[in-house]
Amino acid sequence: MLLKRYIPLAIVFLVGSVTLISWFIPHRPFGSLEIHSTQWFDIIASFAMILGALNLLKLQGTKIVQRRKGWLYSVAAVSGFFLTLVFAFLMKGGHYVVISEVGSNSAEVYQAIGDQLNLPFGVVAGQYESLSENGKTIPKYFYTERGARAFESDLNSLGAMTAHQEVAWGGHLQGSGTYFHWLFSYVFTPLSATMFALLAFFVASASYRAFKIRNVEATVLLVAGVILMIGRVPLGHFLTSWFPSWLQWLHLPNLQEWIYQYPNVAGARAIMIGIALGLVGTSLRVILGIEKSFMGEK
Amino acid sequence: MEEIMQTFKHLLLLVLMLSLPLQAQILNLEAAAAETSAYGDLVNISVTAQEGALSHLLYSSGEEGPWEELRVLSPEDFTEGLAEIGLKIDNYTPTRFKVEALSPDGVLLASTETREAVTTVEHWFNAKRTNMLLAILLISGLIIYYIERAKAAKEIYLRPIAGLKAFEEAVGRATEMGKSVLFVPGIQDLDQVETIAGVIILGHVSKMTARYETSLNVPVSRSLVMEASREIVHESYLAEGRPDLFNPDMVHYLTDDQFAFAAGVNGIMLREKPAALFFQGKFFAESLILAETGNSIGAIQIAGTASPAQIPFFVTACDYTLIGEEFFAASAYLGKDPKLVGSIKGQDIAKAVIMISIGLGVILQSFGFTAFRELFRVM
């Protein structure tokens, strides 16, 4: 009871009330308590991520083993999980070549570099004409060492002095030409963008339903929505630009701005005040230990 | 003689032209201790300088200390010739500031320094936030007062909220159809009050599913939320005397990523076709994706969120939506605990006070009395 009830409640009360009063105390150590608390939370949440990963593997693994309905999706999920782990911790790629001397066949070397970088001869020549003592990195990153070595041997055969290098661990998470970067740019990003793009269709279907004239409220919504949409595009300006000056308040861009700035803001602020009060009330209930059900108590 | 006069005129004109940049170089420098900062050691500096001139900001610790360069102000620092910079200095150390404007070739065009040294001090109370403290004390006091009153009172009236009344109906519908209930407690972690409110509501919904022996599916996007939700669902099943129906995998982790989570939940909806969907917590752009998919499978949907931008999407796509304060009141409403109900009553009274203040403010402001509005200014 002590561990499960009183200590968590005491921690919640202490942290909650101290964080609250620290807002009013610009003095050490209160001033930065909020930042420190957030960092503590992030550290704990990072460790807890292992629990989530294990749960995911357990559930999806069971589905695969038992060949439950849709088990192939689970194969994709588990494969994606392990592939990301492998590309993050075991295979990094990111091989590149550093050139320290161009040699006597400089024109051909510049041409070879230009072919790899898709740059014109003149630009490459300007960039690689004078090289520093440590050489200059050719910013063409290869996923495999073999690719970098092949490029290096091409340059060596033309008389250039080169060295092969690869991006450091950690840098491979953001550097281009790495497996992790490939996975992020060519798998994760397009998939996320696809999901996000679905919103366009969902907005259309939701708007159609919302704008269907069923009652007075829906009609008001339809009229306001149409004014806002038309008033924000050149068509709205074109349609009502001929209005005389005394009717300018009905000019669609002006009308939509009024709807947006006044009735809309008034409604939004009313909701915001309600939310703020709800937040204060819930926080107070949690800090005072009146609301304990989030800890699994009645 | 005329030639001499002419030459003199030209020379005068030349001198005037040369001195023009110096005269036109209007510089102004103001520095003052910031009214709100973590340790009181922040100084707000505003520099007015001619566009194109290179401005160097210098400081000197102590009344007679040497000038040291603090930073060069780039054109990006200026908006319409004014740069506002926040700088941290040592507390209790008088610090002077100076700004020098140099031409691109390094010639000093103008220089100005603060009239007095700025000294920052750590305070134990930020007096500028007194109004906020009073507001918190007032609201908290009202809530605590009504909690105490609720303990003694037999019953406190709460206005009916359609969305909350529909909770039992939705779970009942799922039971009748022999389908599952899907509950999504938002996509944020437990450091958000909305997530805590969502998890609390999950406790009540899981009691209903335990009572009706309906299967419950809770996909989550944060590990900590998974642990807390599991605990609360377990307690609910115990409280209803049905621990045999509880399975820890009812609450399961999908992913932290927003759209991957939306894709995962959509997949569950389309494969399992749950009859009742609850979206209770903090949501962002995925709200409409989830709600529209739920709508397409014909499930009864009840959403609750405090994210103002997502409320219209939920209102459009869901059968019931708990808006703002209703969402936070759900736990009290469903639990019927007098202490929680009392706190909602306190919130309502606080809302009435705010409404009266707004009305009064509008009237006073309309008649030109601005002092009342200033009482509510937040620093």
Side-chain angles (χ1 to χ4, degrees):
Chain A
M1 186 62 98
L2 181 76
L3 273 176
K4 207 177 167 190
R5 184 173 182 182
Y6 294 113
I7 292 179
L9 279 177
I11 293 172
V12 168
F13 176 76
L14 192 72
V15 174
S17 45
V18 169
T19 309
L20 180 66
I21 61 167
S22 70
W23 176 249
F24 302 100
I25 307 175
H27 203 288
R28 266 162 246 272
F30 294 96
S32 58
L33 268 182
E34 191 191 340
I35 299 163
H36 291 315
S37 309
T38 312
Q39 284 172 345
W40 269 86
F41 180 83
D42 288 345
I43 292 166
I44 295 167
S46 306
F47 279 106
M49 199 178 271
I50 298 166
L51 296 172
L54 290 177
N55 179 254
L56 178 88
L57 287 178
K58 182 191 154 198
L59 283 187
Q60 304 300 331
T62 312
K63 256 188 176 180
I64 296 168
V65 170
Q66 297 178 350
R67 297 284 170 98
R68 283 197 216 148
K69 192 182 168 191
W71 65 276
L72 273 173
Y73 298 117
S74 301
V75 172
V78 174
S79 309
F81 181 87
F82 281 112
L83 200 64
T84 311
L85 275 187
V86 168
F87 288 168
F89 295 109
L90 299 174
M91 288 171 69
K92 65 175 192 291
H95 299 270
Y96 60 94
V97 173
V98 176
I99 185 165
S100 53
E101 207 177 303
V102 178
S104 52
N105 289 329
S106 57
E108 289 178 47
V109 171
Y110 295 151
Q111 189 61 50
I113 296 172
D115 290 346
Q116 282 289 345
L117 300 178
N118 283 326
L119 287 175
F121 180 87
V123 175
V124 177
Q127 285 178 356
Y128 292 87
E129 202 171 20
S130 57
L131 299 171
S132 69
E133 217 171 82
N134 298 327
K136 190 175 174 72
T137 300
I138 300 172
K140 167 75 184 178
Y141 294 90
F142 296 87
Y143 292 109
T144 60
E145 186 179 344
R146 189 188 288 176
R149 292 275 185 213
F151 178 45
E152 196 185 0
S153 74
D154 284 350
L155 294 178
N156 290 345
S157 66
L158 296 170
M161 295 272 284
T162 58
H164 157 261
Q165 287 186 10
E166 52 187 309
V167 294
W169 285 103
H172 72 299
L173 297 176
Q174 292 187 327
S176 60
T178 64
Y179 291 110
F180 192 87
H181 183 262
W182 177 84
L183 197 68
F184 190 83
S185 301
Y186 300 111
V187 180
F188 177 78
T189 306
L191 287 174
S192 292
T194 307
M195 283 306 293
F196 188 60
L198 284 177
L199 265 179
F201 302 100
F202 286 139
V203 165
S205 63
S207 305
Y208 172 74
R209 244 194 341 274
F211 289 160
K212 267 201 287 192
I213 299 177
R214 291 164 303 198
N215 48 35
V216 179
E217 288 92 340
T219 314
V220 171
L221 188 70
L222 171 69
V223 173
V226 169
I227 291 172
L228 236 86
M229 282 190 287
I230 298 179
R232 292 200 161 214
V233 293
L235 177 69
H237 185 269
F238 172 76
L239 286 175
T240 51
S241 57
W242 54 272
F243 278 13
S245 57
W246 60 275
L247 265 182
Q248 273 305 301
W249 61 278
L250 275 178
H251 181 40
L252 280 174
N254 297 340
L255 196 57
Q256 72 82 21
E257 191 61 23
W258 182 84
I259 292 171
Y260 191 72
Q261 290 295 343
Y262 296 98
N264 171 57
V265 168
R269 282 189 184 162
I271 291 173
M272 289 298 292
I273 290 171
I275 289 170
L277 274 173
L279 280 169
V280 171
T282 306
S283 306
L284 200 67
R285 289 196 291 268
V286 169
I287 290 171
L288 296 179
I290 296 164
E291 179 70 85
K292 298 187 285 274
S293 52
F294 71 100
M295 292 195 300
E297 279 201 47
K298 278 168 78 179
Chain B
M1 189 62 188
E2 201 171 319
E3 271 183 28
I4 292 168
M5 283 300 290
Q6 199 67 27
T7 314
F8 180 70
K9 271 183 189 172
H10 284 147
L11 272 172
L12 194 66
L13 198 65
L14 189 68
V15 168
L16 274 171
M17 281 172 71
L18 282 172
S19 64
L20 201 60
L22 275 172
Q23 288 173 353
Q25 187 67 48
I26 304 158
L27 267 179
N28 186 34
L29 174 69
E30 281 174 22
E35 284 164 344
T36 53
S37 72
Y39 299 128
D41 55 355
L42 192 72
V43 177
N44 285 335
I45 298 173
S46 58
V47 181
T48 313
Q50 195 180 38
E51 229 169 277
L54 200 59
S55 304
H56 289 250
L57 189 62
L58 301 102
Y59 78 103
S60 161
S61 294
E63 296 292 347
E64 299 297 326
W67 289 108
E68 287 181 54
E69 184 162 307
L70 203 57
R71 59 181 284 194
V72 178
L73 300 174
S74 65
E76 287 80 39
D77 291 319
F78 287 90
T79 310
E80 293 176 1
L82 177 72
E84 289 181 310
I85 307 142
L87 284 171
K88 286 193 172 184
I89 61 168
D90 292 333
N91 277 328
Y92 309 108
T93 309
T95 307
R96 291 175 299 145
F97 294 94
K98 180 159 98 168
V99 68
E100 289 180 344
L102 305 179
S103 69
D105 48 356
V107 178
L108 180 68
L109 297 174
S111 166
T112 186
E113 61 184 84
T114 44
R115 276 187 224 111
E116 289 172 5
V118 181
T119 308
T120 54
V121 183
E122 270 188 306
H123 294 286
W124 280 103
F125 179 65
N126 186 344
K128 295 279 176 188
R129 289 180 178 162
T130 308
N131 56 355
M132 287 179 74
L133 182 66
L134 290 175
I136 287 177
L137 288 176
L138 176 70
I139 295 169
S140 306
L142 280 169
I143 291 172
I144 292 168
Y145 172 73
Y146 277 96
I147 288 170
E148 291 303 317
R149 265 189 67 166
K151 284 181 192 169
K154 282 181 184 168
E155 199 174 334
I156 288 183
Y157 174 77
L158 280 182
R159 72 181 166 89
I161 299 170
L164 292 171
K165 278 184 175 288
F167 269 59
E168 192 119 12
E169 179 196 328
V171 178
R173 184 171 180 261
T175 311
E176 283 169 10
M177 294 172 77
K179 290 183 174 181
S180 62
V181 170
L182 185 82
F183 191 102
V184 185
I187 65 157
Q188 289 288 291
D189 222 323
L190 273 181
D191 57 340
Q192 301 290 321
V193 184
E194 286 109 304
T195 311
I196 293 176
V199 170
I200 290 168
I201 296 170
L202 170 64
H204 296 287
V205 173
S206 55
K207 271 184 189 162
M208 292 175 199
T209 57
R211 212 178 303 142
Y212 294 124
E213 299 179 13
T214 308
S215 77
L216 175 68
N217 191 350
V218 187
V220 297
S221 74
R222 304 288 160 146
S223 303
L224 283 179
V225 179
M226 179 184 79
E227 287 303 313
S229 302
R230 230 176 229 177
E231 192 67 25
I232 203 167
V233 172
H234 186 210
E235 286 294 329
S236 298
Y237 275 74
L238 276 176
E240 288 298 318
R242 299 309 305 266
D244 53 311
L245 292 177
F246 174 73
N247 172 9
D249 294 336
M250 283 172 167
V251 184
H252 56 99
Y253 174 82
L254 284 182
T255 168
D256 270 43
D257 184 72
Q258 181 186 15
F259 289 111
F261 180 74
V265 175
N266 276 6
I268 293 170
M269 282 188 220
L270 294 171
R271 280 193 299 275
E272 297 180 6
K273 303 254 184 320
L277 303 176
F278 293 90
F279 302 115
Q280 307 286 333
K282 195 170 180 99
F283 292 90
F284 295 93
E286 75 291 341
S287 64
L288 190 63
I289 297 176
L290 297 174
E292 276 295 290
T293 310
N295 192 287
S296 73
I297 60 167
I300 183 167
Q301 300 192 95
I302 303 174
T305 186
S307 313
Q310 307 311 321
I311 290 171
F313 294 137
F314 278 140
V315 169
T316 307
C318 295
D319 299 279
Y320 300 97
T321 307
L322 303 175
I323 298 171
E325 75 210 85
E326 295 176 347
F327 169 58
F328 292 109
S331 175
Y333 197 95
L334 296 167
K336 304 282 183 205
D337 180 349
K339 284 190 280 185
L340 295 178
V341 174
S343 71
I344 302 298
K345 187 82 178 173
Q347 264 174 246
D348 281 351
I349 300 298
K351 193 160 66 174
V353 172
I354 291 171
M355 283 163 69
I356 292 167
S357 303
I358 290 174
L360 199 60
V362 168
I363 294 167
L364 291 174
Q365 192 72 19
S366 303
F367 286 100
F369 298 104
T370 54
F372 187 73
R373 191 185 68 168
E374 292 304 312
L375 291 176
F376 295 86
R377 192 172 290 283
V378 176
M379 300 293 282

